[in-house]
Amino acid sequence: MELPTRVPPPVSPESSVTQNEEEVVKNFSEGAGERIEHSIEQPPDDAKPETESKEEKNVESVERVTDVQVTDDQVTLPNPITVATPPEDQQSDQPASLSPSSTPCPSPQLVTECHFFYSALLCAQSSLLPLTLFWRGWDKADGRFWEFWMPTLLPQTLGAVLISWVLKPRRSDWYYKAFLYLQYFAYCSTFIFGILAKDDWVFTLCAAVIIQGGILKLLEKLRRTIASLADDELSEYLKHTVLKYGLIVGMGQLLFISLISIGCDGNAYDFRQCRRALTSQTGLGLMLLIALGVNIISGIFPRRILLKHTVKVKRVVALDLPLGEIIQCILGLVAIGCGMYILGLMTGGAWGDFGEYKEQYVLIYTIIIGCGSLISVAIWKWAIIWREMRQADAPELEQPQAEDEVPMTEASSIWFYISILAILLQTTLSILYSLTLDDMLQFSSSLIYPLVVILYVAALLSQPRRESVQHRRKLKLHFALFVWVGEAATGLASFRMGDFGALMVSLFRAVMFTVAFYFGLKLRRMISELPDKDLEAFLTDTIFSRGLLTFIYALFFSFQVVGCSFERGSIGRCSNTSSIATFITLFLLLTWFISIMHSSLRKEWRKELTLTNEQLASVSGIPYLLLAQGFLTLIIKTCHLFFLSTITAYYSYETTLAVFALLGISASILSVILTAYSINRTKKHNESECERVEEELDDLAINEFSWWYNAISFALTSTHSILRVAYAFNLIQIYGLLADIILPYSALSFTLSLLTKPKRRDAAYMRFLIFQLITFVLPEMISSVMSNLRMGEVFSGVCYAVVGMPLWYFSFKHMLRIREASASLPPKELSEFLCQTVLVRGLLALGPLVFFSFEIISCAMSQYSIVNGQCANTSTASFYLSLILIVVTLLSVTNKAAPNSVQRAITWDYSHMATLNLVWWQRLQGGFVVITVVASLCLWGGFGEGDQNAIYPLAGITGFLAAVLAWNFGSYALIKTHDDLRQSNTAQLESVRSARVISTGELSNDMVISAFV
């Protein structure tokens, strides 16, 4: 069916359209694969004035669209204006301007149905479960299908069925309905066969028939309701709710957790050793499935009503909520806690069987409570919205709330009393442990200790303007109960056991908390002097929002320790895991505390404590304090990533853990001290000046990076080449391992260093780049082939040489052309490209690369060896994930190497993706991006200890080649568009394709980011 398009207004009677412009529009609509309807009214000949001069006849005006505003997935087109176009004999031969008025803009589309390709794709995904049943059979003695494949594929199968029913809500023909019913029947038949395999199948079958019938009725009602929406509302619903958050994010999450179970099965000797991972994956998948269904159903309600019933952070902090919203918040927190418990148990390792029956029952009850909480919150909210839609009128709904205009200066006292209750619980557990010396009491007390610290800090700073004597006494009593009583009980237990080392640790911890409490009171007084708006932002954003995230992370790592105790059957065997979780939580707390210290300053004063991207790229004008804090932050993040990679390891070197812990804690303490000194100095400096002149740091523009980045890149590539050559001659395993670990950093630094100085075209610098390429690529290729041949792997060596050399050659050639295209950017856009794209995305890619490297080191530490084959899956997954991440980073950087005016003037959003209204190479690029995401999700399941699985090398090679092809499509189109714009002033079609490549890159970033999250 034809999709409705918005028709531009007719041309004024004084203007006409030339034949050249009509050909451009026709070629553009054919090349882009779109149907653009123009309603152009040509004025009659007699309507033109007879006094028109010869010069006026030669001037022809056409419609142009200017000042196109691009927001989140939306394009706003203002009223067109008339621009005079000179005749052909007066047109210049210079390239066309890249201003918005020089490029035609496609009309925004209204989407009333998605392309049938998505229906076929979801049908294939939902058919995996029936096909697996046909493949494995439904023999009860086998058990693999019912105990492994059924819980693994059930959530994503039901999610695929759910989204399929809302892709084409207005299709009412009988063959499409038959397609939907057959898809649902295939899913139900597999579910019923699974029930028939049980002994007590009669009651379960009756209940399943009733539930599946109810789901079918709900889908039919939902489809009819969606079809009754207006065209613009239906278009927004399909683009955002169904396609973006349903198909891409929702189904990506369900696919990811199912691949975790498959990865556990690949690492284990028997799938029954993965029962904990299977049950956890099924429970988390059901919770995600319920959240997906709630999002799809909530999308049919008017947005203004949904925003009205969205609980705001400000009202939660002040607890200015009605009873219904309070219950919703409590049930939401319960669902989050259940999800963190399930995620903490979903280790995915080979030791994932249930130790005892009560553990399995606790997990099942947690799944039921979590799913029930989500359903209860949704039904409660839907009932309130439905009743209000039937009773209230629209003008009353759009009235702004008066309480939002009054700034909030303190949180509710209930949060203070919640903190006291948590402290009483933790102190009671510590006292009972000191009396009984029960290990379970000690484990419980240490488990909730980080959570109590977070609640205590939030309570201390939640009411900064209360300075009464009574409130100060409450704070001191609060502190004494938390620190001195609790630490005294812990020290007494250590003294009774004769552990004087632990006694000294308790005493040191009490002294450190006392010092922190003293400076915390000073910080509290500083916070009370903030303006009302800044104080409200401090309470809502820093204290509550970031504090809640820190609390959730700490809860997750606590549940990781619980899962370890279940997995290994004893608390004593999880000492390393408990210590690592403590260190990670401590780093999170210190990071949160540093953000609290930064937020204690006025908003206009914080610029002096912020390191801008321009300063970081040019390595100039950076104060020594900021440089030291940045270096300490790098150390803290590195230690944090190391502990994240080792928390699931079965064994770890205690010396290595102690070194990283000491390094991270020292860096954190020094960072806090430097931050406090910088804040105090900045506050005194700004208060001493009556009229402070603002420094415009944002006006700083750069056109190249500092030479330090090229030096670091050359050092990394040279180190990798030396290690690779040493391994080729000696075949010592440590050289090959270090070369494989350094390779991703070398490749990322080398490819991005080609873009750090785009204006440098002198012969000396170009020779340096070619020399670095030769010294990096040739030793890598020749040494890898030699080492493979010496080990007898002739086929691998030949394939590596045949594929590697052309790949590096064409990549280097593409990067030079992209470098040339970025050099033509205006100065301000070039500075944004270097700072916001090359620098920021390169640094963002550095964190996952470090994590992947630490995964290999963690597995080697756990196995006491790297050559016994138990770390083959981890090393393979880390290697290929690093390469894929590098190519994805290059794709995102390439997509930004174009003028901002082109990106603003022409863009395509999820409407083009929903209808697949793209040219052929854009569809191929999107397909390669999808293959890359699926391969990356599959590789994530390879982290763990176990025998080598052949699926991970295959998935890695497939994902890497797909990512390279997607990047080559984007870079080729961008280069061709750049050349055409320089040679011709009628290259509107190619500029359209360039902008669409940019949007394709943004969509690929969304997909990869959602997959990694």
Side-chain angles (χ1 to χ4, degrees):
M1 59 179 294
E2 289 187 1
L3 300 178
T5 57
R6 295 182 181 178
V7 182
V11 182
S12 59
E14 292 82 12
S15 63
S16 61
V17 179
T18 62
Q19 183 179 1
N20 292 333
E21 290 291 333
E22 291 178 353
E23 291 178 356
V24 169
V25 173
K26 180 179 179 181
N27 294 333
F28 157 67
S29 60
E30 292 177 356
E34 295 181 346
R35 179 184 175 92
I36 303 179
E37 300 178 0
H38 293 276
S39 177
I40 303 178
E41 298 180 1
Q42 298 289 345
D45 296 335
D46 54 359
K48 299 182 179 180
E50 298 179 357
T51 60
E52 189 178 17
S53 62
K54 182 178 180 181
E55 291 78 4
E56 292 176 344
K57 290 182 181 180
N58 292 331
V59 177
E60 299 173 348
S61 57
V62 296
E63 282 191 332
R64 301 292 185 191
V65 179
T66 59
D67 297 333
V68 180
Q69 300 177 359
V70 180
T71 58
D72 187 12
D73 302 327
Q74 294 182 0
V75 180
T76 303
L77 300 176
N79 295 327
I81 65 174
T82 302
V83 180
T85 304
E88 294 182 358
D89 55 351
Q90 298 181 6
Q91 289 182 356
S92 174
D93 296 333
Q94 299 296 328
S97 175
L98 293 178
S99 62
S101 60
S102 65
T103 312
C105 183
S107 301
Q109 282 187 331
L110 290 178
V111 180
T112 58
E113 65 175 20
C114 295
H115 198 273
F116 186 77
F117 170 77
Y118 299 110
S119 300
L121 183 65
L122 292 173
C123 180
Q125 188 173 6
S126 62
S127 301
L128 291 177
L129 193 60
L131 291 177
T132 308
L133 173 64
F134 177 77
W135 169 50
R136 300 296 303 182
W138 69 300
D139 187 10
K140 298 180 182 180
D142 185 13
R144 184 173 181 83
F145 175 78
W146 310 115
E147 297 182 22
F148 180 77
W149 290 111
M150 186 74 175
T152 300
L153 300 177
L154 181 61
Q156 63 169 328
T157 301
L158 189 54
V161 171
L162 173 63
I163 298 177
S164 296
W165 276 72
V166 296
L167 285 176
K168 297 176 178 292
R170 293 184 179 178
R171 283 284 298 271
S172 58
D173 48 288
W174 66 270
Y175 46 87
Y176 185 75
K177 286 186 175 181
F179 167 77
L180 293 178
Y181 283 108
L182 285 176
Q183 183 184 9
Y184 190 79
F185 175 75
Y187 150 72
C188 291
S189 61
T190 309
F191 195 76
I192 291 173
F193 284 150
I195 295 174
L196 292 177
K198 298 180 176 293
D199 296 330
D200 49 347
W201 58 270
V202 179
F203 175 77
T204 309
L205 180 62
C206 296
V209 170
I210 296 174
I211 294 175
Q212 297 300 329
I215 294 176
L216 181 60
K217 290 294 183 182
L218 178 63
L219 291 176
E220 292 175 347
K221 177 65 176 178
L222 177 63
R223 192 168 183 269
R224 289 194 299 267
T225 305
I226 296 172
S228 63
L229 295 175
D231 290 346
D232 53 348
E233 296 178 356
L234 178 60
S235 179
E236 293 297 321
Y237 177 82
L238 291 177
K239 289 188 296 184
H240 298 281
T241 305
V242 176
L243 186 62
K244 183 177 181 179
Y245 297 107
L247 187 60
I248 296 178
V249 178
M251 293 304 299
Q253 292 172 347
L254 294 176
L255 179 62
F256 171 65
I257 61 174
S258 63
L259 290 175
I260 289 180
S261 297
I262 297 176
C264 176
D265 179 50
N267 293 335
Y269 297 102
D270 188 7
F271 73 92
R272 292 176 178 85
Q273 292 179 333
C274 298
R275 286 179 176 174
R276 181 186 292 110
L278 284 172
T279 309
S280 304
Q281 176 259 322
T282 305
L284 190 61
L286 290 177
M287 293 186 66
L288 292 175
L289 181 63
I290 293 173
L292 174 62
V294 169
N295 189 24
I296 288 178
I297 297 176
S298 299
I300 64 177
F301 296 108
R303 183 175 179 81
R304 52 187 174 84
I305 300 181
L306 289 175
L307 292 177
K308 180 182 178 181
H309 290 278
T310 300
V311 181
K312 298 181 179 180
V313 178
K314 174 183 175 180
R315 298 179 62 187
V316 174
V317 175
L319 281 184
D320 185 17
L321 301 172
L323 179 61
E325 293 185 356
I326 292 177
I327 295 176
Q328 291 181 29
C329 292
I330 293 175
L331 292 177
L333 291 176
V334 171
I336 291 175
C338 294
M340 290 297 103
Y341 178 78
I342 297 170
L343 189 62
L345 297 184
M346 195 170 59
T347 57
W351 304 90
D353 198 4
F354 290 108
E356 49 188 11
Y357 288 104
K358 65 179 181 180
E359 177 194 349
Q360 184 177 4
Y361 291 148
V362 169
L363 181 57
I364 293 175
Y365 292 150
T366 304
I367 295 172
I368 295 174
I369 294 173
C371 295
S373 300
L374 289 176
I375 295 175
S376 301
V377 170
I379 293 177
W380 189 304
K381 189 174 182 178
W382 292 338
I384 295 175
I385 293 176
W386 183 257
R387 183 174 65 251
E388 186 170 344
M389 288 177 61
R390 300 183 61 181
Q391 296 178 358
D393 51 350
E396 295 180 357
L397 293 175
E398 296 177 354
Q399 293 180 357
Q401 298 180 359
E403 62 269 18
D404 291 340
E405 301 176 357
V406 181
M408 180 189 61
T409 58
E410 67 175 23
S412 176
S413 300
I414 296 180
W415 300 111
F416 184 82
Y417 296 117
I418 291 176
S419 173
I420 292 179
L421 291 177
I423 289 175
L424 285 175
L425 175 61
Q426 197 272 336
T427 306
T428 303
L429 291 175
S430 299
I431 294 174
L432 292 176
Y433 167 65
S434 65
L435 297 177
T436 61
L437 298 180
D438 188 3
D439 292 338
M440 184 58 68
L441 292 175
Q442 182 193 14
F443 177 73
S444 303
S445 176
S446 61
L447 197 66
I448 66 173
Y449 190 82
L451 308 177
V452 176
V453 172
I454 296 172
L455 293 175
Y456 172 75
V457 173
L460 178 64
L461 304 176
S462 60
Q463 296 174 338
R465 292 186 178 178
R466 287 197 179 187
E467 294 293 341
S468 61
V469 178
Q470 183 180 3
H471 188 71
R472 293 180 67 87
R473 288 176 181 174
K474 286 183 181 180
L475 292 179
K476 293 179 180 179
L477 181 61
H478 194 194
F479 170 75
L481 179 64
F482 171 48
V483 176
W484 290 107
V485 176
E487 295 300 334
T490 306
L492 178 61
S494 301
F495 178 76
R496 291 185 60 188
M497 291 187 300
D499 190 355
F500 294 99
L503 178 60
M504 296 302 296
V505 169
S506 299
L507 181 61
F508 176 76
R509 194 162 51 209
V511 173
M512 292 298 297
F513 269 112
T514 304
V515 175
F517 177 71
Y518 172 76
F519 287 103
L521 292 178
K522 288 189 174 183
L523 180 63
R524 186 174 177 270
R525 286 193 296 269
M526 184 185 300
I527 294 170
S528 64
E529 299 173 358
L530 290 174
D532 292 345
K533 288 293 185 180
D534 292 347
L535 182 57
E536 178 184 344
F538 172 80
L539 293 175
T540 55
D541 298 336
T542 307
I543 293 296
F544 191 83
S545 299
R546 295 187 182 180
L548 181 60
L549 287 177
T550 307
F551 186 88
I552 292 174
Y553 295 153
L555 188 66
F556 167 72
F557 293 117
S558 299
F559 287 143
Q560 280 272 49
V561 180
V562 174
C564 176
S565 63
F566 285 151
E567 177 181 332
R568 302 177 187 179
S570 175
I571 301 174
R573 297 180 181 177
C574 296
S575 58
N576 286 338
T577 303
S578 179
S579 302
I580 292 171
T582 302
F583 293 141
I584 293 175
T585 309
L586 179 60
F587 294 152
L588 292 173
L589 286 171
L590 291 174
T591 304
W592 179 45
F593 190 68
I594 291 174
S595 66
I596 290 175
M597 297 172 67
H598 277 284
S599 301
S600 63
L601 282 177
R602 294 173 180 264
K603 187 176 181 180
E604 60 270 13
W605 295 352
R606 299 173 197 168
K607 293 182 179 180
E608 299 180 8
L609 302 177
T610 304
L611 184 62
T612 62
N613 294 329
E614 289 80 7
Q615 291 176 332
L616 187 60
S618 60
V619 195
S620 61
I622 304 177
Y624 290 107
L625 283 177
L626 291 182
L627 191 62
Q629 291 180 18
F631 180 72
L632 293 175
T633 303
L634 180 62
I635 295 176
I636 295 171
K637 296 299 182 183
T638 303
C639 298
H640 193 182
L641 291 173
F642 173 77
F643 286 124
L644 281 177
S645 63
T646 57
I647 192 171
T648 57
Y650 199 78
Y651 297 107
S652 298
Y653 292 128
E654 295 183 357
T655 305
T656 307
L657 296 180
V659 169
F660 274 92
L662 182 61
L663 184 63
I665 293 174
S666 303
S668 301
I669 295 175
L670 287 177
S671 179
V672 170
I673 294 174
L674 289 179
T675 303
Y677 174 75
S678 302
I679 288 174
N680 189 27
R681 191 183 66 170
T682 303
K683 185 174 182 296
K684 290 181 179 180
H685 173 69
N686 287 277
E687 287 178 348
S688 62
E689 296 182 359
C690 299
E691 295 181 359
R692 178 174 175 268
V693 180
E694 294 287 342
E695 297 181 1
E696 298 295 336
L697 297 177
D698 296 336
D699 295 337
L700 177 64
I702 64 172
N703 57 8
E704 64 178 21
F705 276 38
S706 173
W707 61 271
W708 278 100
Y709 293 94
N710 296 86
I712 294 173
S713 174
F714 185 77
L716 287 174
T717 54
S718 301
T719 304
H720 173 267
S721 300
I722 294 173
L723 290 173
R724 185 64 72 185
V725 171
Y727 176 69
F729 281 99
N730 299 325
L731 294 181
I732 299 177
Q733 192 70 27
I734 188 63
Y735 292 155
L737 176 63
L738 292 177
D740 290 337
I741 292 177
I742 297 177
L743 176 60
Y745 304 97
S746 304
L748 179 65
S749 63
F750 172 68
T751 51
L752 292 183
S753 66
L754 297 176
L755 303 175
T756 55
K757 296 179 182 293
K759 295 287 188 180
R760 288 284 302 270
R761 299 183 181 180
D762 52 286
Y765 186 73
M766 298 305 297
R767 290 195 194 100
F768 169 75
L769 294 180
I770 296 175
F771 174 74
Q772 186 178 5
L773 173 69
I774 295 174
T775 56
F776 175 48
V777 176
L778 288 183
E780 164 69 20
M781 295 291 106
I782 297 175
S783 301
S784 299
V785 173
M786 287 179 57
S787 59
N788 287 327
L789 292 178
R790 291 186 62 185
M791 291 186 297
E793 300 177 358
V794 180
F795 180 76
S796 300
V798 173
C799 291
Y800 192 79
V802 171
V803 176
M805 290 298 293
L807 181 63
W808 274 109
Y809 172 74
F810 287 110
S811 299
F812 182 74
K813 185 177 179 181
H814 278 307
M815 291 302 296
L816 290 182
R817 299 296 300 274
I818 294 169
R819 180 177 181 271
E820 181 182 356
S822 62
S824 62
L825 291 172
K828 186 176 181 180
E829 295 182 11
L830 177 61
S831 179
E832 293 179 357
F833 171 74
L834 293 176
C835 298
Q836 304 297 331
T837 304
V838 178
L839 178 65
V840 173
R841 302 196 180 186
L843 292 178
L844 289 178
L846 187 62
L849 291 181
V850 175
F851 174 76
F852 297 149
S853 302
F854 283 151
E855 278 288 339
I856 301 176
I857 298 174
S858 172
C859 183
M861 291 168 53
S862 179
Q863 290 291 323
Y864 296 102
S865 175
I866 193 65
V867 296
N868 59 359
Q870 294 298 307
C871 297
N873 294 330
T874 300
S875 59
T876 301
S878 300
F879 179 75
Y880 284 108
L881 279 174
S882 301
L883 295 182
I884 291 173
L885 180 62
I886 292 172
V887 179
V888 171
T889 304
L890 293 180
L891 175 62
S892 61
V893 170
T894 302
N895 293 325
K896 292 296 183 180
N900 292 335
S901 56
V902 176
Q903 301 180 38
R904 288 194 304 266
I906 310 165
T907 185
W908 66 279
D909 57 4
Y910 284 94
S911 61
H912 299 87
M913 186 177 178
T915 57
L916 289 184
N917 202 354
L918 309 169
V919 295
W920 63 271
W921 52 266
Q922 292 171 345
R923 298 182 183 182
L924 286 178
Q925 187 185 29
F928 289 135
V929 169
V930 173
I931 294 174
T932 303
V933 172
V934 174
S936 302
L937 295 177
C938 181
L939 289 172
W940 268 102
F943 292 119
E945 303 165 15
D947 295 332
Q948 186 173 5
N949 195 335
I951 192 175
Y952 296 123
L954 180 61
I957 294 174
T958 304
F960 174 68
L961 293 179
V964 169
L965 290 175
W967 174 63
N968 283 329
F969 272 111
S971 59
Y972 172 76
L974 184 65
I975 293 168
K976 187 176 186 302
T977 302
H978 179 263
D979 294 341
D980 291 343
L981 286 175
R982 293 180 61 183
Q983 297 174 3
S984 175
N985 60 349
T986 58
Q988 289 92 339
L989 174 59
E990 297 300 327
S991 63
V992 169
R993 293 181 178 178
S994 172
R996 293 199 172 186
V997 173
I998 292 171
S999 296
T1000 304
E1002 295 298 326
L1003 292 178
S1004 66
N1005 293 337
D1006 293 341
M1007 297 176 71
V1008 174
I1009 289 171
S1010 63
F1012 273 80
V1013 169

